[in-house]
Amino acid sequence: MLPQGFDLNLLRVFATLMEERSVTRAGDRLGRTQSAVSSALSRLRTALGDPLFVRGRNGLEPTARAQALEPRVREILDLAGFVVTG
């Protein structure tokens, strides 16, 4: 069960950050500002109790927890897409 008040849109932000490795590029893809994506990442970090991404040479680097979560998040997003589109 999801914690009360958890925003499922944060999972879409997470998946996009995993692909882009940049808050700015993720924002561009999602049609959100860099500030909005940064805020969403902050809420994700708090909810999941992990930094999820750290700055690296080539942008954001996922933590071990983020890497472990990625397949599950993608599965959730795929299932949600199936439910919505039939």
Side-chain angles (χ1 to χ4, degrees):
M1 199 74 181
L2 284 172
Q4 187 171 350
F6 184 81
D7 182 357
L8 287 173
N9 289 311
L10 295 176
L11 299 181
R12 192 166 161 234
V13 172
F14 172 85
T16 306
L17 284 168
M18 286 296 289
E19 292 172 8
E20 295 294 339
R21 307 293 168 94
S22 162
V23 172
T24 301
R25 287 193 309 268
D28 289 344
R29 273 192 47 200
L30 294 167
R32 298 183 184 176
T33 64
Q34 177 274 335
S35 178
V37 174
S38 183
S39 175
L41 177 55
S42 178
R43 288 183 287 149
L44 266 170
R45 287 173 165 160
T46 298
L48 299 176
D50 189 85
L52 300 174
F53 298 92
V54 295
R55 291 196 191 278
R57 278 186 175 169
N58 299 316
L60 296 177
E61 297 291 333
T63 63
R65 176 98 192 271
Q67 291 173 344
L69 289 172
E70 183 180 21
R72 299 280 181 153
V73 169
R74 296 217 178 269
E75 183 179 354
I76 291 165
L77 293 173
D78 288 345
L79 287 170
F82 176 77
V83 168
V84 172
T85 61

